[in-house]
Amino acid sequence: MKLIVVTGGVISGVGKGVATASIGKILKEYGYSVTAVKIDPYVNVDAGTMRPTEHGEVWVTEDGGEIDQDLGNYERFLDIDISKHSNITTGQVYRDVIQREREGKYLGKTVQIIPHIIDEIKDRIRKAGNNHDFVLVEIGGTVGDYENIPFLFAVKSLEIELGKKNVVYVLVSYLPTPIHMGEAKTKPTQQAIRMLNENGITPDFILCRAPRPIDEVRRKKIEVSSNISSEYIISAPDVASTIYRIPLNFEAENLGKKMLEKFNLGPCRNPDWKRWRELVDNIENPREIFTIAMVGKYVGIGDFQLADSYISINESLKHAAAELGGDVRITWIDANELEAGGIERLRNFDGIIIPGGFGSSGVEGKINAIKYARENNIPFLGLCYGMQLAVIEFARNACSMTGAHTTEVDTNTPYPVIDILASQKKLIEHSKYGGTMRLGAYAAVLKEGTRVLDLYRRAGRLETDGKAMSTMEKFRLGIIAKHMFCKLHNSLDLCNIPSNASVIIERHRHRYEVNPKYIEQMESKGLVFSGHHQKEDGTKLMEFTEMPDHHFFIATQAHPEFKSRFGKPAPLFLGFLEACLKK
Ligand code: GLN
């Protein structure tokens, strides 16, 4: 195992996640297999219960983890699925050690931070890195944070085991430019380096984040004061255009070759940045600008707009726009503002998105926006709650089901078109809320002749393409392996699917479902349910819905934004923007 440890200096939010993802992308371009681990020093076991306005979006992994959003950047840059086990929190580490202690697994020993907690951390890093040439380990927060100490100790301990030649340390640091001086200052970075030194760590690379590229004077200053050759002091200026520019910037400083040299390695192949560069160019010099209204809930926080709570959707739109030669301008609209009018402002946008959400806040505003999109033929994409609310809107306004609702908001609705399944109700009665969430990858069978099927087929995202398939064939294509993996995590059931079905896999994070009782009635009025998931007990869960006569009206129970990658946009986002373009 070769380890690259990324830490942050001076302030948090300095871009460690994107820097880590960019280093990984570069090594991948040189022909190496790479994975990444995020260490979050907080005591929460995972990010599932954190407020998005405080911590940013909750990222959902294929195996149903609710994780810090940095894992999303790794997947988007590296084009790999990363397991929930690649996110390590203080809470998980202590929970498992204490559990083992209670089970008597430590045989009468005193259980201590050193070695037991440290061993647990090392073990988790080792497991996550298994079968890869490189594992990047990003330690959240900044060096000097009290809660980071065990993690720094653990990577140092891994260094002793693996040998220094197999470990490289990267410090992503910030160079502030006080307005009254107009000069980038290196002192805080020098101090961050010293703090790493206190943990026995000398950084091999310093990535200097600053508004502008770092100049020779300041490179030298860091070299002289910290004994790190200026060759390894890499410029990481702010990028205004797109984060996908960052690996290209790093490569302009030969970061990849320098990194490989540190490991005594050479390239396995010549990097091919052609397509990546083209897409970045598209964003920077767009031929098209797509204007999208995203009607959501977690929008304003004090004086700030928190775009981070929908980061994967923002990125998915960017991926799709870049593919079509352009860029997006997203306007985040607080759904509450659309409850009592003001709906006409939606006319100014190419398309409307209703993202996922929970609870009653802003719900009527979102429903108003959906009605407006449906009636005015404006391209519409509904994601998770966005699909549920589209079904409610259709039931109320096209099927005369006055007062139709989700039982999440109105338990006494006369038409519970969105409801929880009977099996889930039982779990809730026993207060097992956790067990009622549909989390992670689930397979859906798509209906022939639908737009959704066409979009997934064109994007090459069908697992099985409507052709009869033997078990052997499924095995050969890795479908059985995927099935086994997801089965282990209580999701996805591919083998129950007819052998000639068109199947896709998307990630989920929700509790309520379209109520089967009303499907026929809604279909008779023109709403098409274009895909479903079949549970082992035979229950069908609706996964996609679309309106054939509309310019583009598609909604899904899934979160396709978790599988969109730079260079491989998610089919629904691509279709949505194509429709915006045509319009
Ligand atoms: N609140 C809805 C549910 O739990 C939708 C969740 C979501 O949009 N992620 O089913």
PDB file of all heavy atoms in Angstrom, residues 210-237:
ATOM      1  N   ALA A 210      -4.196  30.423  -2.382  1.00  0.00           N
ATOM      2  CA  ALA A 210      -4.191  31.885  -2.233  1.00  0.00           C
ATOM      3  C   ALA A 210      -4.997  32.465  -3.385  1.00  0.00           C
ATOM      4  O   ALA A 210      -5.244  31.775  -4.368  1.00  0.00           O
ATOM      5  CB  ALA A 210      -2.756  32.406  -2.284  1.00  0.00           C
ATOM      6  N   PRO A 211      -5.397  33.717  -3.267  1.00  0.00           N
ATOM      7  CA  PRO A 211      -6.146  34.302  -4.380  1.00  0.00           C
ATOM      8  C   PRO A 211      -5.360  34.252  -5.689  1.00  0.00           C
ATOM      9  O   PRO A 211      -5.923  34.082  -6.761  1.00  0.00           O
ATOM     10  CB  PRO A 211      -6.382  35.752  -3.946  1.00  0.00           C
ATOM     11  CG  PRO A 211      -6.273  35.713  -2.455  1.00  0.00           C
ATOM     12  CD  PRO A 211      -5.305  34.629  -2.118  1.00  0.00           C
ATOM     13  N   ARG A 212      -4.025  34.392  -5.583  1.00  0.00           N
ATOM     14  CA  ARG A 212      -3.214  34.398  -6.810  1.00  0.00           C
ATOM     15  C   ARG A 212      -2.131  33.320  -6.737  1.00  0.00           C
ATOM     16  O   ARG A 212      -1.802  32.837  -5.657  1.00  0.00           O
ATOM     17  CB  ARG A 212      -2.572  35.779  -6.960  1.00  0.00           C
ATOM     18  CG  ARG A 212      -3.603  36.852  -7.348  1.00  0.00           C
ATOM     19  CD  ARG A 212      -2.910  38.108  -7.801  1.00  0.00           C
ATOM     20  NE  ARG A 212      -1.950  38.546  -6.781  1.00  0.00           N
ATOM     21  CZ  ARG A 212      -1.039  39.482  -6.989  1.00  0.00           C
ATOM     22  NH1 ARG A 212      -0.922  40.063  -8.137  1.00  0.00           N
ATOM     23  NH2 ARG A 212      -0.217  39.834  -6.014  1.00  0.00           N
ATOM     24  N   PRO A 213      -1.515  32.989  -7.868  1.00  0.00           N
ATOM     25  CA  PRO A 213      -0.422  32.006  -7.824  1.00  0.00           C
ATOM     26  C   PRO A 213       0.707  32.506  -6.925  1.00  0.00           C
ATOM     27  O   PRO A 213       0.961  33.714  -6.854  1.00  0.00           O
ATOM     28  CB  PRO A 213       0.048  31.920  -9.281  1.00  0.00           C
ATOM     29  CG  PRO A 213      -1.089  32.432 -10.100  1.00  0.00           C
ATOM     30  CD  PRO A 213      -1.801  33.438  -9.246  1.00  0.00           C
ATOM     31  N   ILE A 214       1.371  31.599  -6.278  1.00  0.00           N
ATOM     32  CA  ILE A 214       2.464  31.986  -5.384  1.00  0.00           C
ATOM     33  C   ILE A 214       3.694  32.354  -6.226  1.00  0.00           C
ATOM     34  O   ILE A 214       3.984  31.698  -7.236  1.00  0.00           O
ATOM     35  CB  ILE A 214       2.780  30.858  -4.383  1.00  0.00           C
ATOM     36  CG1 ILE A 214       3.865  31.289  -3.413  1.00  0.00           C
ATOM     37  CG2 ILE A 214       3.114  29.557  -5.058  1.00  0.00           C
ATOM     38  CD1 ILE A 214       4.082  30.308  -2.270  1.00  0.00           C
ATOM     39  N   ASP A 215       4.409  33.402  -5.818  1.00  0.00           N
ATOM     40  CA  ASP A 215       5.573  33.824  -6.597  1.00  0.00           C
ATOM     41  C   ASP A 215       6.854  33.218  -6.022  1.00  0.00           C
ATOM     42  O   ASP A 215       6.846  32.566  -4.980  1.00  0.00           O
ATOM     43  CB  ASP A 215       5.642  35.355  -6.667  1.00  0.00           C
ATOM     44  CG  ASP A 215       5.753  35.977  -5.274  1.00  0.00           C
ATOM     45  OD1 ASP A 215       5.801  35.201  -4.286  1.00  0.00           O
ATOM     46  OD2 ASP A 215       5.788  37.210  -5.170  1.00  0.00           O
ATOM     47  N   GLU A 216       7.962  33.470  -6.724  1.00  0.00           N
ATOM     48  CA  GLU A 216       9.245  32.877  -6.336  1.00  0.00           C
ATOM     49  C   GLU A 216       9.693  33.339  -4.948  1.00  0.00           C
ATOM     50  O   GLU A 216      10.235  32.565  -4.164  1.00  0.00           O
ATOM     51  CB  GLU A 216      10.332  33.230  -7.371  1.00  0.00           C
ATOM     52  CG  GLU A 216      10.356  32.298  -8.568  1.00  0.00           C
ATOM     53  CD  GLU A 216      10.176  30.820  -8.206  1.00  0.00           C
ATOM     54  OE1 GLU A 216      10.962  30.303  -7.390  1.00  0.00           O
ATOM     55  OE2 GLU A 216       9.224  30.183  -8.704  1.00  0.00           O
ATOM     56  N   VAL A 217       9.451  34.633  -4.649  1.00  0.00           N
ATOM     57  CA  VAL A 217       9.902  35.183  -3.361  1.00  0.00           C
ATOM     58  C   VAL A 217       9.288  34.388  -2.216  1.00  0.00           C
ATOM     59  O   VAL A 217       9.963  33.984  -1.264  1.00  0.00           O
ATOM     60  CB  VAL A 217       9.487  36.673  -3.257  1.00  0.00           C
ATOM     61  CG1 VAL A 217       9.835  37.255  -1.892  1.00  0.00           C
ATOM     62  CG2 VAL A 217      10.128  37.481  -4.376  1.00  0.00           C
ATOM     63  N   ARG A 218       7.984  34.141  -2.328  1.00  0.00           N
ATOM     64  CA  ARG A 218       7.303  33.455  -1.230  1.00  0.00           C
ATOM     65  C   ARG A 218       7.623  31.957  -1.197  1.00  0.00           C
ATOM     66  O   ARG A 218       7.736  31.353  -0.147  1.00  0.00           O
ATOM     67  CB  ARG A 218       5.798  33.710  -1.290  1.00  0.00           C
ATOM     68  CG  ARG A 218       5.422  34.905  -0.417  1.00  0.00           C
ATOM     69  CD  ARG A 218       4.381  35.782  -1.030  1.00  0.00           C
ATOM     70  NE  ARG A 218       5.003  36.696  -1.984  1.00  0.00           N
ATOM     71  CZ  ARG A 218       5.327  37.955  -1.705  1.00  0.00           C
ATOM     72  NH1 ARG A 218       5.057  38.445  -0.516  1.00  0.00           N
ATOM     73  NH2 ARG A 218       5.907  38.714  -2.594  1.00  0.00           N
ATOM     74  N   ARG A 219       7.824  31.375  -2.376  1.00  0.00           N
ATOM     75  CA  ARG A 219       8.269  29.969  -2.396  1.00  0.00           C
ATOM     76  C   ARG A 219       9.574  29.831  -1.624  1.00  0.00           C
ATOM     77  O   ARG A 219       9.750  28.940  -0.804  1.00  0.00           O
ATOM     78  CB  ARG A 219       8.522  29.527  -3.839  1.00  0.00           C
ATOM     79  CG  ARG A 219       7.359  28.822  -4.503  1.00  0.00           C
ATOM     80  CD  ARG A 219       7.804  28.254  -5.837  1.00  0.00           C
ATOM     81  NE  ARG A 219       6.884  28.652  -6.887  1.00  0.00           N
ATOM     82  CZ  ARG A 219       5.968  27.851  -7.438  1.00  0.00           C
ATOM     83  NH1 ARG A 219       5.892  26.606  -7.061  1.00  0.00           N
ATOM     84  NH2 ARG A 219       5.151  28.286  -8.348  1.00  0.00           N
ATOM     85  N   LYS A 220      10.493  30.757  -1.922  1.00  0.00           N
ATOM     86  CA  LYS A 220      11.817  30.729  -1.276  1.00  0.00           C
ATOM     87  C   LYS A 220      11.682  30.916   0.229  1.00  0.00           C
ATOM     88  O   LYS A 220      12.367  30.275   1.025  1.00  0.00           O
ATOM     89  CB  LYS A 220      12.710  31.837  -1.856  1.00  0.00           C
ATOM     90  CG  LYS A 220      13.520  31.366  -3.037  1.00  0.00           C
ATOM     91  CD  LYS A 220      14.745  30.548  -2.560  1.00  0.00           C
ATOM     92  CE  LYS A 220      15.404  29.833  -3.739  1.00  0.00           C
ATOM     93  NZ  LYS A 220      15.661  28.437  -3.620  1.00  0.00           N
ATOM     94  N   LYS A 221      10.767  31.812   0.585  1.00  0.00           N
ATOM     95  CA  LYS A 221      10.596  32.119   2.009  1.00  0.00           C
ATOM     96  C   LYS A 221      10.169  30.856   2.763  1.00  0.00           C
ATOM     97  O   LYS A 221      10.685  30.553   3.844  1.00  0.00           O
ATOM     98  CB  LYS A 221       9.525  33.200   2.152  1.00  0.00           C
ATOM     99  CG  LYS A 221       9.552  33.887   3.481  1.00  0.00           C
ATOM    100  CD  LYS A 221       9.129  35.322   3.327  1.00  0.00           C
ATOM    101  CE  LYS A 221       9.430  36.101   4.582  1.00  0.00           C
ATOM    102  NZ  LYS A 221       8.898  37.448   4.489  1.00  0.00           N
ATOM    103  N   ILE A 222       9.235  30.120   2.183  1.00  0.00           N
ATOM    104  CA  ILE A 222       8.787  28.888   2.841  1.00  0.00           C
ATOM    105  C   ILE A 222       9.931  27.877   2.859  1.00  0.00           C
ATOM    106  O   ILE A 222      10.189  27.214   3.864  1.00  0.00           O
ATOM    107  CB  ILE A 222       7.535  28.297   2.136  1.00  0.00           C
ATOM    108  CG1 ILE A 222       6.374  29.289   2.223  1.00  0.00           C
ATOM    109  CG2 ILE A 222       7.129  26.966   2.763  1.00  0.00           C
ATOM    110  CD1 ILE A 222       5.110  28.866   1.489  1.00  0.00           C
ATOM    111  N   GLU A 223      10.685  27.820   1.744  1.00  0.00           N
ATOM    112  CA  GLU A 223      11.816  26.878   1.688  1.00  0.00           C
ATOM    113  C   GLU A 223      12.814  27.166   2.798  1.00  0.00           C
ATOM    114  O   GLU A 223      13.187  26.274   3.560  1.00  0.00           O
ATOM    115  CB  GLU A 223      12.512  26.979   0.316  1.00  0.00           C
ATOM    116  CG  GLU A 223      13.784  26.141   0.230  1.00  0.00           C
ATOM    117  CD  GLU A 223      14.476  26.240  -1.121  1.00  0.00           C
ATOM    118  OE1 GLU A 223      13.951  25.702  -2.095  1.00  0.00           O
ATOM    119  OE2 GLU A 223      15.559  26.868  -1.185  1.00  0.00           O
ATOM    120  N   VAL A 224      13.198  28.423   2.919  1.00  0.00           N
ATOM    121  CA  VAL A 224      14.238  28.798   3.876  1.00  0.00           C
ATOM    122  C   VAL A 224      13.760  28.588   5.311  1.00  0.00           C
ATOM    123  O   VAL A 224      14.474  28.077   6.155  1.00  0.00           O
ATOM    124  CB  VAL A 224      14.646  30.278   3.646  1.00  0.00           C
ATOM    125  CG1 VAL A 224      15.551  30.784   4.754  1.00  0.00           C
ATOM    126  CG2 VAL A 224      15.332  30.413   2.291  1.00  0.00           C
ATOM    127  N   SER A 225      12.498  28.953   5.560  1.00  0.00           N
ATOM    128  CA  SER A 225      12.050  28.909   6.961  1.00  0.00           C
ATOM    129  C   SER A 225      11.603  27.508   7.373  1.00  0.00           C
ATOM    130  O   SER A 225      11.501  27.218   8.548  1.00  0.00           O
ATOM    131  CB  SER A 225      10.913  29.899   7.173  1.00  0.00           C
ATOM    132  OG  SER A 225       9.848  29.533   6.339  1.00  0.00           O
ATOM    133  N   SER A 226      11.293  26.632   6.404  1.00  0.00           N
ATOM    134  CA  SER A 226      10.753  25.328   6.796  1.00  0.00           C
ATOM    135  C   SER A 226      11.556  24.154   6.257  1.00  0.00           C
ATOM    136  O   SER A 226      11.191  23.000   6.473  1.00  0.00           O
ATOM    137  CB  SER A 226       9.308  25.190   6.311  1.00  0.00           C
ATOM    138  OG  SER A 226       8.544  26.274   6.745  1.00  0.00           O
ATOM    139  N   ASN A 227      12.650  24.435   5.557  1.00  0.00           N
ATOM    140  CA  ASN A 227      13.488  23.365   5.004  1.00  0.00           C
ATOM    141  C   ASN A 227      12.726  22.422   4.073  1.00  0.00           C
ATOM    142  O   ASN A 227      12.862  21.207   4.153  1.00  0.00           O
ATOM    143  CB  ASN A 227      14.161  22.560   6.126  1.00  0.00           C
ATOM    144  CG  ASN A 227      15.267  23.359   6.780  1.00  0.00           C
ATOM    145  OD1 ASN A 227      15.881  24.205   6.126  1.00  0.00           O
ATOM    146  ND2 ASN A 227      15.512  23.111   8.053  1.00  0.00           N
ATOM    147  N   ILE A 228      11.889  23.002   3.234  1.00  0.00           N
ATOM    148  CA  ILE A 228      11.216  22.193   2.215  1.00  0.00           C
ATOM    149  C   ILE A 228      11.581  22.812   0.870  1.00  0.00           C
ATOM    150  O   ILE A 228      11.343  24.003   0.654  1.00  0.00           O
ATOM    151  CB  ILE A 228       9.693  22.196   2.440  1.00  0.00           C
ATOM    152  CG1 ILE A 228       9.394  21.403   3.714  1.00  0.00           C
ATOM    153  CG2 ILE A 228       8.948  21.581   1.253  1.00  0.00           C
ATOM    154  CD1 ILE A 228       8.066  21.657   4.301  1.00  0.00           C
ATOM    155  N   SER A 229      12.194  22.006   0.021  1.00  0.00           N
ATOM    156  CA  SER A 229      12.683  22.535  -1.255  1.00  0.00           C
ATOM    157  C   SER A 229      11.548  23.203  -2.037  1.00  0.00           C
ATOM    158  O   SER A 229      10.437  22.660  -2.117  1.00  0.00           O
ATOM    159  CB  SER A 229      13.296  21.395  -2.066  1.00  0.00           C
ATOM    160  OG  SER A 229      13.366  21.778  -3.414  1.00  0.00           O
ATOM    161  N   SER A 230      11.840  24.358  -2.621  1.00  0.00           N
ATOM    162  CA  SER A 230      10.780  25.131  -3.295  1.00  0.00           C
ATOM    163  C   SER A 230      10.174  24.359  -4.477  1.00  0.00           C
ATOM    164  O   SER A 230       9.083  24.652  -4.934  1.00  0.00           O
ATOM    165  CB  SER A 230      11.297  26.491  -3.758  1.00  0.00           C
ATOM    166  OG  SER A 230      12.401  26.311  -4.600  1.00  0.00           O
ATOM    167  N   GLU A 231      10.911  23.348  -4.946  1.00  0.00           N
ATOM    168  CA  GLU A 231      10.395  22.482  -6.013  1.00  0.00           C
ATOM    169  C   GLU A 231       9.072  21.818  -5.600  1.00  0.00           C
ATOM    170  O   GLU A 231       8.236  21.497  -6.430  1.00  0.00           O
ATOM    171  CB  GLU A 231      11.467  21.400  -6.225  1.00  0.00           C
ATOM    172  CG  GLU A 231      11.334  20.593  -7.454  1.00  0.00           C
ATOM    173  CD  GLU A 231      12.366  19.443  -7.428  1.00  0.00           C
ATOM    174  OE1 GLU A 231      13.403  19.555  -6.725  1.00  0.00           O
ATOM    175  OE2 GLU A 231      12.096  18.450  -8.080  1.00  0.00           O
ATOM    176  N   TYR A 232       8.937  21.596  -4.304  1.00  0.00           N
ATOM    177  CA  TYR A 232       7.747  20.885  -3.803  1.00  0.00           C
ATOM    178  C   TYR A 232       6.689  21.823  -3.231  1.00  0.00           C
ATOM    179  O   TYR A 232       5.760  21.395  -2.568  1.00  0.00           O
ATOM    180  CB  TYR A 232       8.165  19.828  -2.769  1.00  0.00           C
ATOM    181  CG  TYR A 232       9.128  18.832  -3.367  1.00  0.00           C
ATOM    182  CD1 TYR A 232      10.467  18.796  -2.975  1.00  0.00           C
ATOM    183  CD2 TYR A 232       8.702  17.982  -4.388  1.00  0.00           C
ATOM    184  CE1 TYR A 232      11.351  17.906  -3.566  1.00  0.00           C
ATOM    185  CE2 TYR A 232       9.584  17.088  -4.979  1.00  0.00           C
ATOM    186  CZ  TYR A 232      10.909  17.060  -4.564  1.00  0.00           C
ATOM    187  OH  TYR A 232      11.780  16.189  -5.170  1.00  0.00           O
ATOM    188  N   ILE A 233       6.915  23.098  -3.468  1.00  0.00           N
ATOM    189  CA  ILE A 233       5.921  24.080  -3.023  1.00  0.00           C
ATOM    190  C   ILE A 233       5.089  24.450  -4.255  1.00  0.00           C
ATOM    191  O   ILE A 233       5.587  25.044  -5.214  1.00  0.00           O
ATOM    192  CB  ILE A 233       6.609  25.294  -2.383  1.00  0.00           C
ATOM    193  CG1 ILE A 233       7.343  24.777  -1.130  1.00  0.00           C
ATOM    194  CG2 ILE A 233       5.598  26.374  -2.036  1.00  0.00           C
ATOM    195  CD1 ILE A 233       8.303  25.729  -0.522  1.00  0.00           C
ATOM    196  N   ILE A 234       3.847  24.003  -4.227  1.00  0.00           N
ATOM    197  CA  ILE A 234       3.019  24.042  -5.433  1.00  0.00           C
ATOM    198  C   ILE A 234       1.965  25.140  -5.297  1.00  0.00           C
ATOM    199  O   ILE A 234       1.372  25.309  -4.230  1.00  0.00           O
ATOM    200  CB  ILE A 234       2.301  22.674  -5.628  1.00  0.00           C
ATOM    201  CG1 ILE A 234       3.305  21.514  -5.609  1.00  0.00           C
ATOM    202  CG2 ILE A 234       1.420  22.669  -6.879  1.00  0.00           C
ATOM    203  CD1 ILE A 234       4.182  21.346  -6.808  1.00  0.00           C
ATOM    204  N   SER A 235       1.770  25.828  -6.383  1.00  0.00           N
ATOM    205  CA  SER A 235       0.803  26.916  -6.392  1.00  0.00           C
ATOM    206  C   SER A 235      -0.622  26.366  -6.516  1.00  0.00           C
ATOM    207  O   SER A 235      -0.874  25.483  -7.323  1.00  0.00           O
ATOM    208  CB  SER A 235       1.130  27.780  -7.616  1.00  0.00           C
ATOM    209  OG  SER A 235       0.513  29.010  -7.490  1.00  0.00           O
ATOM    210  N   ALA A 236      -1.521  26.879  -5.680  1.00  0.00           N
ATOM    211  CA  ALA A 236      -2.931  26.446  -5.788  1.00  0.00           C
ATOM    212  C   ALA A 236      -3.833  27.679  -5.728  1.00  0.00           C
ATOM    213  O   ALA A 236      -4.554  27.901  -4.754  1.00  0.00           O
ATOM    214  CB  ALA A 236      -3.269  25.462  -4.673  1.00  0.00           C
ATOM    215  N   PRO A 237      -3.752  28.510  -6.761  1.00  0.00           N
ATOM    216  CA  PRO A 237      -4.550  29.745  -6.739  1.00  0.00           C
ATOM    217  C   PRO A 237      -6.045  29.446  -6.827  1.00  0.00           C
ATOM    218  O   PRO A 237      -6.444  28.398  -7.332  1.00  0.00           O
ATOM    219  CB  PRO A 237      -4.084  30.473  -8.005  1.00  0.00           C
ATOM    220  CG  PRO A 237      -3.573  29.401  -8.909  1.00  0.00           C
ATOM    221  CD  PRO A 237      -3.015  28.331  -8.020  1.00  0.00           C
TER     222      PRO A 237
END
